[in-house]
Amino acid sequence: MRPLKVCARVRVKQVNAVVSIDHTLTAANSPLCPSFPVPESAMYDAYAKIEVMNVYDTTALVVHPTQNSIFTTQKNGALVHFERPKDSTRGYEPQAFRHFEKKTVHDLQFVERLGLLVCLANNQVTAHRASGDFGVVAVLDQYTPVGAFACRVREKDNMLFVVISARRQLHVFKLIKDKFDEVNIPFNPNQLYENSPLIRWASDWSIYFVNRTEFAFVQLFENPLQPVSSGIGQVRVITSRPANAPMLAIPEKELVGLAQGSTLKFFDGNGNPAKGINDAKYDDQPLQLCYDHPYVLAVLPRNVIEVRSLAPSMIVQAIPIDKCSFIAPGIPGSVFTLGGTSLYELRSRPMIKDNIRTLIKDMQFQLASELTDLCDTMTHKEKVDVKRKTAAFYFAQKQFPECFAIHKVLKTDILLLLCHFPDLIPEKYRSKVGKDATDFVPCPDFAYNDWKAAVNELSDFLTDIRTEHGKKVELHRKGEVRLSSSEFKSVENVLELAETVLLKCYIKYRPSMVSSLLRLDNNVNISEAQKDLNDAARFDDLYLLYSKKNHRREALEILAKQSKKEDSLYYGVEEAVSYLQTLGPNYFDLIKEHARWVLKEDPEYGVKIFATNETEAAKQLARDGVLKFLQAECVKAVIPYLEHAIFEWHDERPAFHDELVGMYVCKVRNNLKDYVHALGENEMIPRAGEEEGELGKYRTKLLNLLNSSDKYNAAKVETQLEDNMMNEKAIVYGRLGRHEEALLIYSHVLVDYELAEAHCDKYWKPKPLKSSGSTSKPSSYNSKADLKPSVDTSGIYITLFKAYTDPTLLSAYSTLKRINQSTKPKVSEALKLLARHPTQMDLTEALRLIPDKTELHKVWPALESVMESVKNKANALNIHLGLTQSTLQQKQVHLQALKSKKVQVDFNSYCCFCHRSVDGVFISFKDGRLAHYGCHMRDRGQAPAIAIQSQSLASGISRRERTFSALN
């Protein structure tokens, strides 16, 4: 498309480059409109009107929001691009593009983020590039004729969405590369009264549109703030619409203004009335609307543009414009409007600073604060001063959220803010309150609820500061951000002040939050917090403070007092036990000091101070010292502690095992006396460990410990056992190697054949084979039991066999107490033993011990087992022999193959490791490399073993030429 500087159909008249700013447009004697009555409520001149140029036949007007660039279209479809060169005083330079569209452009919208101009012409929507030749990018012609359209670029993915009204329906499209693809939205109802003449986006997910005499709302996509919403596609009538009533979209605030006669009502992106925005009321229904932060400009029928502030809603200025037909926002602080054939620019920036002074004088701080963001002539200090005055005004008006919202943006020093709350200033910081706190005067006339609301807002402000500075400290400690020592100290000071004041706020008005603050790592000033918590009688929270600040003695003293108060969270000993568990060996004396009262209150739970798997600190305590302490202070806790140390921590100290066995023996011995006397005449004595009550409990533990442990002194334990503790004696005799006595007890005193056989299973081991030329060393320990090296247990089954058939053959028979001397031989049990263990006893001796009077049919099953075992043993030996011979043959074949390999060694043969000539003993690798045997072994990390000498070849071969049988 060829740009034209001059075009017959495009008429542009440039006004003088030097323009004068009209500052008196709102005066009653305005030369442009002498009869125009200025409203009495007009406050100041927000805009200055500047005539830019004359344009003709304009059908649409749009302005680049960040550049000095204007686009207009004319009746013949031509586009005129007005651009002001940088550093130019000549004004705007027009450039016409005749073939932009073939027919009249009825609507034109600029999409800055994608650099597009989207227009409605020839009953269809077309997207053009917004620079260069303004060529066509995509055409939306699936539905015609199009009544209206609206564009929106979605924030999260930069996707352009276009809504059109056509065929009495709404259709949604998205631009993908150079094509508009329709997005299926299930509208309900699907049909409109007519094609909507006006559509505006309210947010990324919703639109407002005109449906004949109604303003309607519909949600098109999921609202990220309310993802559960189910109203997608549901058309909802918002309010009635008078004829030709306009709509105003404010994209940055996600607001839409709907004109209802002379009233402009505001709604949010969810179809609800906007909160905090009052209705704007005009003398007549606006013809067009425009938003230029912080003003709403309305074109009224009486050739005037009325300027109102959005919040608070009040009239600011009335600007006369004759025959105003278009109004469009430009860069912030600039609005363009077309009056007749004259294009005007309304500028607010030249007067902003004076207007801010006027607003402050009139106590309109909110509007003054908003204008400071647009003012280029104010210093940062001046802007901060205005915003602080605004925040102070909000504070005095009890608008605390608005007040602290400003302070969050300004990052106001906490000490300055605390001047509003003098009672909350910590004693440490009172002398540091600055002199520039004139805008932070306390308001003592507030009611209790007002102070509560103010302090709660202060709490939220301090929480944000705490989070922000806490992240800085965390990043510094991780090494991701480096702070200098002074910066780090400053951050820590801010954290201390913020958290100390935050604690004061919580104590006064949010007591439920105190614990959550103190329970985490914090920077609260301990002396200030201690005073506040004591004054408020919050002793549970005082314990949290002491525990987090590692004031261990004070924390334990608080727990000792609170453990006796039923209304305390720390009533009882549970918290004291948990805290003592964490202290560790460095505080052993402190642990013992406070463990006394805990053990006195609850010995069973108190022992967990020393015996727990929940903390490593308890495991690291000096166990001998703990045992002595418990023996002296709380004997009841000794057994639980020793049990935990031995069975949970696997402590192998003989002293611990001896002590626990002794404690068990003492318990069993004391309970046995009462238990035996309590039995009836015909009542059977139960098996050891199966007794009721405490006797059965501790006897089971004793038997298990005697069986499982090999660390106790068996000889010492034997002296502690009484004659009525035969089960225990049998186990101890086994540990001492006195198996005859143990087996006689099992077979003739306890008459428990299972235990007798289990004893043999535990201690039996085969007799070691004697190899010629070497002396076999007896194994000092069996895998099943701890035996003395001198004890031979290969004949333990024969010993039991003798105990069954003829116990008089055992030397211990005559000396063992409580044995029945008239007991008959237990031949049947002996034969069962022989049948089950034929390979573990001397068969000849076993058969010889069977009484001669024994009937053959009783002996036969045992003999069958013996013969079966002999047969199985013979078969196993045959199989083993066969496998051995097969393996031997394979090795011989492999050896022969290796011997057949010939390796030539001459003067050019070198070791692959040391690179010296090969001589003496060497190694040949499969890839042909050679190495000295010693080098090869050293490379493998081993010392050279037996050397294999190479042999010289037959005579006639060089002395350096040798052969080597490759054994590798």
Side-chain angles (χ1 to χ4, degrees):
M1 187 177 294
R2 183 181 176 186
L4 300 176
K5 288 290 182 180
V6 179
C7 177
R9 299 286 305 277
V10 179
R11 294 181 294 164
V12 177
K13 181 181 178 182
Q14 181 75 43
V15 300
N16 293 335
V18 180
V19 297
S20 61
I21 300 177
D22 184 358
H23 290 285
T24 62
L25 294 177
T26 57
N29 58 352
S30 171
L32 294 179
C33 186
S35 62
F36 173 71
V38 180
E40 294 181 0
S41 58
M43 296 181 59
Y44 57 87
D45 294 343
Y47 289 93
K49 184 175 71 172
I50 303 170
E51 186 176 0
V52 179
M53 64 186 69
N54 293 331
V55 294
Y56 303 93
D57 301 331
T58 302
T59 60
L61 169 68
V62 70
V63 183
H64 197 298
T66 57
Q67 299 177 5
N68 291 314
S69 187
I70 308 168
F71 303 94
T72 65
T73 57
Q74 299 185 331
K75 291 181 180 179
N76 61 356
L79 174 74
V80 183
H81 179 205
F82 301 94
E83 189 170 16
R84 176 186 290 169
K86 295 181 178 179
D87 303 326
S88 173
T89 59
R90 293 179 300 169
Y92 287 87
E93 295 183 357
Q95 202 172 17
F97 296 84
R98 180 182 301 172
H99 302 294
F100 180 74
E101 285 289 341
K102 295 180 180 180
K103 294 189 177 182
T104 301
V105 176
H106 298 286
D107 193 6
L108 184 66
Q109 296 182 20
F110 181 72
V111 183
E112 180 190 5
R113 289 173 63 181
L114 300 181
L116 296 176
L117 280 172
V118 185
C119 67
L120 172 59
N122 195 24
N123 294 324
Q124 65 185 21
V125 175
T126 307
H128 295 261
R129 283 185 290 273
S131 60
D133 60 356
F134 295 88
V136 175
V137 175
V139 178
L140 197 163
D141 56 1
Q142 288 89 326
Y143 301 95
T144 57
V146 175
F149 78 97
C151 300
R152 176 89 175 194
V153 178
R154 190 162 62 186
E155 191 74 29
K156 67 178 182 179
D157 54 10
N158 219 34
M159 177 73 71
L160 173 64
F161 288 88
V162 179
V163 181
I164 67 169
S165 63
R167 301 179 186 178
R168 294 174 56 200
Q169 293 178 329
L170 294 176
H171 302 275
V172 183
F173 292 84
K174 60 182 177 181
L175 180 63
I176 300 179
K177 294 185 178 179
D178 57 354
K179 182 181 178 182
F180 282 106
D181 287 347
E182 186 169 6
V183 180
N184 185 27
I185 305 292
F187 291 104
N188 182 25
N190 190 30
Q191 291 289 326
L192 306 178
Y193 299 131
E194 61 185 12
N195 279 348
S196 175
L198 194 58
I199 305 173
R200 292 290 182 267
W201 284 89
S203 63
D204 280 350
W205 59 86
S206 60
I207 63 169
Y208 287 80
F209 64 96
V210 171
N211 189 13
R212 190 177 288 175
T213 59
E214 299 170 341
F215 284 116
F217 167 85
V218 63
Q219 182 176 337
L220 303 179
F221 306 111
E222 183 182 90
N223 181 354
L225 303 177
Q226 299 176 355
V228 188
S229 175
S230 58
I232 294 177
Q234 189 69 38
V235 176
R236 180 154 52 95
V237 176
I238 299 299
T239 184
S240 60
R241 184 215 182 203
N244 301 321
M247 268 197 297
L248 171 65
I250 309 178
E252 58 266 38
K253 295 183 178 292
E254 293 187 347
L255 294 176
V256 167
L258 306 179
Q260 282 194 297
S262 61
T263 302
L264 183 63
K265 296 184 176 182
F266 293 93
F267 295 84
D268 62 19
N270 297 314
N272 303 316
K275 296 180 180 179
I277 306 293
N278 296 326
D279 298 343
K281 295 183 179 180
Y282 301 93
D283 295 335
D284 204 344
Q285 177 174 295
L287 301 176
Q288 295 189 52
L289 294 165
C290 168
Y291 179 75
D292 178 41
H293 179 76
Y295 303 118
V296 176
L297 290 83
V299 179
L300 299 181
R302 293 184 297 114
N303 295 327
V304 66
I305 295 178
E306 189 169 296
V307 181
R308 281 181 169 272
S309 58
L310 180 63
S313 179
M314 59 184 181
I315 186 169
V316 174
Q317 183 184 10
I319 306 173
I321 299 288
D322 188 33
K323 298 179 182 179
C324 182
S325 54
F326 293 100
I327 187 168
I331 61 175
S334 177
V335 176
F336 289 85
T337 181
L338 187 62
T341 60
S342 297
L343 181 65
Y344 298 97
E345 180 182 2
L346 307 181
R347 294 184 185 175
S348 66
R349 289 182 179 272
M351 295 90 70
I352 285 182
K353 192 169 183 178
D354 292 334
N355 290 338
I356 290 173
R357 293 194 186 100
T358 301
L359 289 168
I360 292 176
K361 184 178 179 181
D362 294 341
M363 304 292 286
Q364 297 294 338
F365 293 102
Q366 179 180 356
L367 191 53
S369 177
E370 291 181 351
L371 286 177
T372 55
D373 297 328
L374 301 174
C375 187
D376 300 328
T377 58
M378 294 180 70
T379 64
H380 175 72
K381 185 178 183 304
E382 289 175 327
K383 290 183 178 181
V384 170
D385 184 59
V386 171
K387 289 183 178 292
R388 282 183 177 176
K389 290 181 183 299
T390 304
F393 173 76
Y394 281 142
F395 189 86
Q397 296 298 314
K398 304 174 185 178
Q399 294 176 269
F400 305 117
E402 292 82 357
C403 169
F404 283 94
I406 293 175
H407 288 304
K408 285 178 184 178
V409 175
L410 296 179
K411 300 185 182 299
T412 305
D413 185 87
I414 299 174
L415 277 177
L416 287 176
L417 266 178
L418 291 179
C419 292
H420 284 313
F421 312 89
D423 293 342
L424 297 179
I425 302 177
E427 193 66 35
K428 175 181 176 181
Y429 295 92
R430 289 188 180 275
S431 61
K432 299 179 182 180
V433 177
K435 298 180 180 179
D436 54 344
T438 55
D439 294 324
F440 301 90
V441 180
C443 300
D445 58 335
F446 282 177
Y448 172 82
N449 287 337
D450 296 330
W451 273 117
K452 182 177 180 181
V455 171
N456 286 343
E457 287 296 330
L458 174 64
S459 301
D460 295 339
F461 175 81
L462 294 173
T463 299
D464 291 341
I465 289 182
R466 178 178 178 235
T467 302
E468 178 187 348
H469 285 71
K471 287 181 179 178
K472 290 181 182 179
V473 172
E474 183 180 358
L475 293 174
H476 174 76
R477 287 172 177 166
K478 288 181 177 179
E480 297 179 17
V481 173
R482 289 294 178 189
L483 299 175
S484 65
S485 57
S486 59
E487 289 174 333
F488 186 75
K489 184 66 177 175
S490 174
V491 170
E492 284 193 323
N493 289 339
V494 172
L495 279 172
E496 179 184 315
L497 176 59
E499 294 183 4
T500 303
V501 177
L502 189 60
L503 178 63
K504 290 175 178 286
C505 297
Y506 286 166
I507 291 174
K508 278 196 171 185
Y509 298 112
R510 290 183 180 176
S512 61
M513 299 292 290
V514 174
S515 299
S516 61
L517 174 63
L518 296 176
R519 190 172 285 113
L520 303 174
D521 291 334
N522 59 74
N523 297 272
V524 172
N525 182 281
I526 189 166
S527 59
E528 191 78 25
Q530 178 182 354
K531 177 180 176 297
D532 293 336
L533 292 170
N534 271 316
D535 291 345
R538 298 189 65 87
F539 301 111
D540 289 350
D541 295 322
L542 187 57
Y543 158 69
L544 290 177
L545 173 71
Y546 285 143
S547 62
K548 275 299 173 185
K549 295 297 183 180
N550 293 327
H551 286 228
R552 300 172 181 84
R553 183 175 296 278
E554 292 86 348
L556 287 167
E557 289 172 355
I558 292 288
L559 282 177
K561 296 176 182 177
Q562 296 301 101
S563 67
K564 297 178 175 61
K565 298 179 181 179
E566 294 185 3
D567 60 340
S568 171
L569 292 174
Y570 306 121
Y571 176 68
V573 300
E574 288 82 358
E575 184 63 26
V577 169
S578 299
Y579 187 67
L580 288 167
Q581 286 174 346
T582 64
L583 296 186
N586 293 335
Y587 301 95
F588 189 41
D589 291 338
L590 183 62
I591 293 173
K592 290 190 294 183
E593 179 183 340
H594 287 274
R596 289 187 178 94
W597 68 264
V598 175
L599 291 167
K600 184 178 180 181
E601 291 287 331
D602 190 344
E604 184 177 352
Y605 200 85
V607 74
K608 293 183 179 179
I609 297 171
F610 309 101
T612 181
N613 291 330
E614 295 178 4
T615 65
E616 282 296 316
K619 196 173 181 179
Q620 295 169 0
L621 295 176
R623 296 178 192 174
D624 292 325
V626 171
L627 180 58
K628 290 179 182 178
F629 170 75
L630 294 177
Q631 288 171 334
E633 298 293 336
C634 184
V635 178
K636 290 182 180 180
V638 173
I639 290 180
Y641 176 72
L642 291 173
E643 287 176 342
H644 193 89
I646 292 171
F647 301 124
E648 295 291 331
W649 295 337
H650 308 291
D651 197 305
E652 296 185 349
R653 277 176 253 208
F656 277 30
H657 288 250
D658 287 339
E659 181 66 23
L660 185 56
V661 170
M663 296 289 287
Y664 283 160
V665 169
C666 185
K667 286 280 188 181
V668 171
R669 201 162 50 195
N670 293 336
N671 282 283
L672 264 176
K673 297 175 182 177
D674 300 332
Y675 187 80
V676 172
H677 293 304
L679 287 174
E681 294 182 0
N682 299 323
E683 192 173 351
M684 294 291 296
I685 298 178
R687 192 173 185 177
E690 296 180 358
E691 300 91 346
E692 295 180 355
E694 196 175 72
L695 173 60
K697 170 186 171 183
Y698 283 105
R699 197 165 193 186
T700 300
K701 290 183 176 183
L702 175 59
L703 292 172
N704 291 336
L705 181 60
L706 292 175
N707 269 315
S708 61
S709 173
D710 58 0
K711 304 303 178 185
Y712 61 87
N713 188 329
K716 179 180 178 182
V717 173
E718 182 195 5
T719 62
Q720 299 174 1
L721 300 176
E722 296 182 348
D723 291 341
N724 56 354
M725 301 173 68
M726 299 305 288
N727 290 71
E728 292 80 357
K729 280 194 172 186
I731 297 172
V732 173
Y733 285 152
R735 283 275 290 111
L736 293 171
R738 294 158 60 178
H739 298 293
E740 288 187 0
E741 295 166 272
L743 292 173
L744 284 171
I745 289 173
Y746 286 130
S747 58
H748 292 280
V749 178
L750 300 175
V751 194
D752 195 326
Y753 308 125
E754 291 181 5
L755 288 179
E757 192 168 338
H759 183 91
C760 294
D761 290 339
K762 179 179 179 181
Y763 288 100
W764 177 86
K765 71 171 185 176
K767 195 170 185 178
L769 299 175
K770 293 182 180 180
S771 57
S772 59
S774 65
T775 305
S776 62
K777 295 182 180 180
S779 174
S780 59
Y781 292 99
N782 192 324
S783 61
K784 297 180 181 179
D786 175 19
L787 301 177
K788 295 181 179 180
S790 59
V791 177
D792 179 12
T793 59
S794 60
I796 194 169
Y797 280 99
I798 283 293
T799 302
L800 180 57
F801 200 84
K802 290 178 180 179
Y804 285 153
T805 56
D806 189 1
T808 59
L809 298 175
L810 302 177
S811 58
Y813 180 75
S814 58
T815 59
L816 192 63
K817 297 179 179 180
R818 297 191 64 181
I819 194 168
N820 190 353
Q821 302 290 338
S822 61
T823 303
K824 295 181 180 179
K826 305 177 187 296
V827 178
S828 60
E829 293 300 327
L831 293 175
K832 289 177 185 178
L833 182 67
L834 177 62
R836 285 194 291 268
H837 302 279
T839 61
Q840 293 169 301
M841 63 177 72
D842 188 337
L843 296 177
T844 304
E845 186 174 358
L847 293 174
R848 183 175 59 79
L849 290 171
I850 299 174
D852 297 337
K853 297 179 180 180
T854 305
E855 297 176 0
L856 184 60
H857 69 87
K858 295 181 179 180
V859 182
W860 185 252
L863 294 176
E864 282 184 331
S865 295
V866 170
M867 290 184 287
E868 183 69 24
S869 67
V870 172
K871 176 185 175 183
N872 292 340
K873 187 175 181 179
N875 290 338
L877 288 173
N878 288 333
I879 293 171
H880 180 70
L881 179 60
L883 291 174
T884 303
Q885 290 176 345
S886 175
T887 304
L888 180 61
Q889 289 177 0
Q890 292 176 6
K891 294 298 181 182
Q892 288 175 342
V893 171
H894 183 59
L895 178 62
Q896 190 62 34
L898 291 175
K899 285 185 175 182
S900 64
K901 183 178 179 181
K902 185 176 182 181
V903 178
Q904 295 289 341
V905 180
D906 54 24
F907 287 106
N908 295 322
S909 299
Y910 296 96
C911 173
C912 63
F913 294 111
C914 68
H915 305 292
R916 297 178 182 176
S917 59
V918 174
D919 198 0
V921 182
F922 62 91
I923 298 292
S924 174
F925 296 98
K926 291 181 179 179
D927 58 1
R929 294 179 299 126
L930 301 178
H932 292 115
Y933 176 72
C935 295
H936 169 67
M937 297 303 289
R938 279 190 293 272
D939 180 66
R940 294 174 59 183
Q942 301 177 10
I946 303 173
I948 304 176
Q949 295 292 337
S950 61
Q951 299 178 359
S952 300
L953 294 174
S955 57
I957 305 297
S958 170
R959 180 179 62 85
R960 297 289 297 168
E961 201 170 291
R962 306 192 176 176
T963 62
F964 177 70
S965 297
L967 300 178
N968 191 5

